[in-house]
Amino acid sequence: MKTEFRNLRKLRPGGERMWSLDPSQKEVLRFAVSCRILTLMLQALFNIIIPDHHADAFSPPRLASSCSVDQLVEGLLGGLSRWDAEHFLFIAEHGYLYEHNFAFFPGFPLALLMGTELLRPLQGLLSQRSCLLVSVALLNFLFSVLAAVTLHDLGCLVLGCPRQAFYAAMLFCLSPANVFLAAGYSEALFAFLTFSAMGQLERGRSWASGLLFALATGVRSNGLVSVGFLLHAQCRGFFSSLVVLNPLKPLFKLMASLCLSVLTVSLPFALFQYYAYTQFCLPGSAHSVPEPLVQLAVDKGYRITGGNEPPWCSWGLPLVYSYIQDVYWNVGFLRYYELRQVPNFLLATPVAVLVVWAAWTYVTTHPWLCLTLGLRRSKDSKKTLEKPHPGFLSPKVFVYLVHAAGLLLFGSLCMHVQVLTRLLCSSTPVVYWFPAHLLQNQEPLLRSVDTVPEKLLEKNSPPGQKAPRNCIMKLLYNWRACSPVTRCILGYFLTYWLLGLLLHCNFLPWT
């Protein structure tokens, strides 16, 4: 079975190399595509049969008339435009007209514009908004499938256990943040760029990794935290070179690399803040705004470009993003800790428990590794020669766990806590690696994949029906034979996968 997870390089008759997917990658790709198709079908169904809730959400007026084809597209794909997705669609269509639009980074709207350019032949038939909706469906379909394949590749590099990498990628296809990977949100693109950057760094390609992390920062603000991966990799390389007689040269090189990494990853964020400054704080930056959008600003109290100078322009460090989060979304330290927010805390509890459990398991297994910040594996130098733990307990996982724990801590204290689910599920592989670790080690149907599972699965299958090949489907197919841990993991993933589609696509509160 080891060959099942080996990357294959095939040779054509002339000796030319032809890359191909191995069986596990093909299965991940097949399952990801199937889940994306099912997601689009279900959101369309729920959008049609369930009336929309009248939510106090951003809802700009439609400036262009719609035809019957536009109404058909809205009926089939309108569920992808709910809540914050409307901001991304608005920015892609009209640009950054309102101050609070700057809470949403430009990476995903730019991708949508590129998608609509590819749909130019349809623009005579569809309105701009319909083209944007089609672009959302196609691009996030592509990004989420690529993210699953990239996560599988990253898992093989970091975990050293192809089986766990495979399980993790399959779980990503059933992500609790599924609806945000399909709707007009930036999570799918961010996950793809982030996992790709991590994979490039594991291969020692620091420049490619830094570029991808920078692109991810242009998609979501929490991409800034990813600079820690570059810094940790550079520090690890520095400490491994301390044996040389003259440490000044490696130290100088380290400081230069650290500064360059920070500048590279933070550059998109800085440029975006500067662009906002030019729009609101410099004279002569006003743009022509359609009258219906001006009226919306008057009715809702939105600040538009060319109006009165906002207070953040006079700050020593004029960051519009900080101002928007504070004033428009009331984001701040412990501001969400109110009795009425208890349901939202309950929504975020499963993913928080998952990360805390993962951190506890790892720290108790590698206390010295954690105390030395992942720079040394053992107190005893002789022990460093021992074979490391495979899978989730691999020493390479340390920096990923710190990243996940940092996001959890910051999100729990300073953000709207229900956002934790999509924040973590699109940013860190730990939320998939640890459940994969639990499945492999605590699920009898998967513990001995070479012999036992197939026999057990065939035995527990209904008469006359063949057990499916997909490992996740096998577990679902034999739900009663699964361990309690497996039921909890799959129950959580599937419940959030389905409830997100049911609620979010109809303007009902979700994470």
Side-chain angles (χ1 to χ4, degrees), residues 21 154-155 174 196 221 224 227 237 253 272 313 350 360 375 402 409 413 439 454 457 473 483-484 486 508 511:
L21 299 176
L154 176 65
L174 299 176
S196 298
S221 61
L224 287 168
V227 73
K253 183 179 179 181
F272 186 51
C313 288
W360 175 256
L375 301 177
V402 171
L409 182 63
L413 298 178
L439 289 179
E454 297 299 330
L457 290 168
M473 296 305 297
S483 67
T486 298
L508 293 167
T511 65

Side-chain angles (χ1 to χ4, degrees), residues 142 253 312:
L142 175 64
K253 183 179 179 181
W312 56 269

